[in-house]
Amino acid sequence: MVAKVISGPEVAEEIRKELRVKIAQLKERGVTPGLAVVLVGEDPASKQYVRNKERACEDLGLYSRTVLLPWDAPEEEVLKAVDTLNADPAIHGFLVQLPLPNHIDENKVIMRIDPAKDADGFHPINVGRMLIGDPLFLPATPHGIQEMLVRSGNDPEGKHVVVVGRSNIVGKPVAAILMQKKKGANATVTVCHSRTRDLASLVRQGDIVVAAIGSPQFITADMIKPGAVVVDVGTNRVDDPTAKRGYRWVGDVDFEAVKEKASAITPVPGGVGPMTIVMLMKNTVIAACRAAGIDHCPPA
Ligand code: GUN
């Protein structure tokens, strides 16, 4: 079997089309949704993510702002930037790009964000609301994974989803979202991680495998059940002297081998990445809609 490649940009474009309608309605009421990102330091992956976000805002006609702070900025300065965005009516949603430098307490910064402007859905109030099935905002990457599965005809309903990785950004929330008693969810979820015994045999049981370990090509073809659907969340930069830039991006899945065994697979790049960005845009539109007091805001 050769897997169907699920295109992130194609699914993202479908969602962008839906968002354009909502954005036009907001603009008729004089509201331009605004998204801000706080970036501390110069991490190359983070800078790329921020550039992509700026481009996506421009494309959809959203107001976008990037607050750049030096890597050695004291924690107080980062908290002050959060306070300023919390109070700014032009900003409907914002996020603080992670990871933060070690001298800054990540949880303290996240907890300072107004939950109503928490475009990432990382505030404990939003994590709790996601878990109980009454979300205000869903985190962008896991929500993007769910949309990709459903819109590509791979609804997780009743399936065994094996998540590899337990981060707060992907592993834990994707498990929480897909296990909900809801349309587009209702999956049986297993979460594996670095301390899991006999990880390969568990992954082999997955009808859907979500790879979010952060280790290049960790998931090999022998770990995949024939016909499984494979979602690759990895973005690992590996040296490649033959590439123009001297490096290339690879996922957590051995794409070439796994695509011969899976029924569907997301590539890297061109898979989950574009979905994360569009779901962030969606959260910004939802936040603006709620702030404008519009009745029929899209659900999270
Ligand atoms: N770093 C990697 N992914 C993310 C994300 O989704 N949000 C934030 N804030 N930082 C990240």
Side-chain angles (χ1 to χ4, degrees):
M1 176 180 288
V2 178
K4 174 184 174 241
V5 178
I6 305 173
S7 160
E10 265 177 49
V11 184
E13 182 51 33
E14 232 181 89
I15 297 171
R16 257 196 305 275
K17 263 194 207 137
E18 296 162 16
L19 288 181
R20 283 184 209 283
V21 177
K22 265 288 153 213
I23 294 163
Q25 289 169 354
L26 282 163
K27 289 200 170 175
E28 271 170 29
R29 297 187 180 219
V31 180
T32 299
L35 173 67
V37 174
V38 179
L39 179 58
V40 185
E42 301 263 328
D43 174 65
S46 294
K47 275 173 73 178
Q48 182 63 42
Y49 182 67
V50 170
R51 266 196 301 272
N52 292 344
K53 181 230 64 165
E54 284 167 349
R55 250 182 251 140
C57 282
E58 200 178 321
D59 172 57
L60 285 173
L62 303 193
Y63 171 62
S64 148
R65 188 188 301 164
T66 303
V67 179
L68 279 173
L69 297 173
W71 188 247
D72 57 357
E75 185 178 88
E76 235 356 271
E77 206 176 316
V78 180
L79 293 171
K80 227 162 68 191
V82 169
D83 290 341
T84 303
L85 294 169
N86 280 340
D88 187 337
I91 299 298
H92 300 97
F94 68 96
L95 61 92
V96 178
Q97 187 65 34
L98 304 177
L100 287 169
N102 287 337
H103 66 277
I104 297 172
D105 181 345
E106 219 161 83
N107 286 338
K108 194 167 168 187
V109 172
I110 289 170
M111 282 195 262
R112 190 75 157 242
I113 298 171
D114 177 352
K117 290 194 173 190
D118 176 26
D120 257 336
F122 288 175
H123 189 286
I125 286 196
N126 286 322
V127 176
R129 290 191 63 152
M130 167 185 67
L131 202 61
I132 64 170
D134 180 28
L136 204 51
F137 298 108
L138 288 174
T141 303
H143 194 195
I145 292 168
Q146 182 186 34
E147 287 289 338
M148 246 182 147
L149 287 170
V150 171
R151 291 175 190 248
S152 65
N154 295 292
D155 196 311
E157 168 104 26
K159 305 263 174 67
H160 184 189
V161 176
V162 177
V163 178
V164 191
R166 55 174 157 178
S167 69
N168 288 339
I169 296 179
V170 184
K172 286 180 201 165
V174 82
I177 290 170
L178 296 181
M179 73 164 72
Q180 293 298 318
K181 190 173 184 174
K182 283 191 179 189
K183 229 174 126 222
N186 286 317
T188 303
V189 181
T190 299
V191 181
C192 304
H193 48 75
S194 53
R195 303 292 171 93
T196 296
R197 221 174 287 161
D198 202 3
L199 181 134
S201 77
L202 284 164
V203 176
R204 231 174 269 127
Q205 291 172 32
D207 303 312
I208 297 173
V209 175
V210 178
I213 323 120
S215 180
Q217 300 175 325
F218 180 89
I219 302 290
T220 47
D222 61 298
M223 296 183 191
I224 296 297
K225 177 163 77 174
V229 174
V230 180
V231 179
D232 190 349
V233 193
T235 45
N236 308 291
R237 195 170 138 162
V238 296
D239 291 338
D240 181 357
T242 68
K244 206 161 65 185
R245 294 189 181 125
Y247 64 85
R248 67 194 160 91
W249 295 100
V250 300
D252 289 351
V253 175
D254 180 0
F255 181 84
E256 289 306 323
V258 169
K259 86 171 190 320
E260 301 297 325
K261 210 163 171 192
S263 64
I265 186 167
T266 69
V268 176
V272 173
M275 292 301 297
T276 297
I277 300 283
V278 79
M279 298 319 287
L280 188 62
M281 301 296 122
K282 180 167 181 180
N283 280 347
T284 308
V285 171
I286 292 171
C289 191
R290 290 194 192 124
I294 293 170
D295 280 345
H296 298 290
C297 296

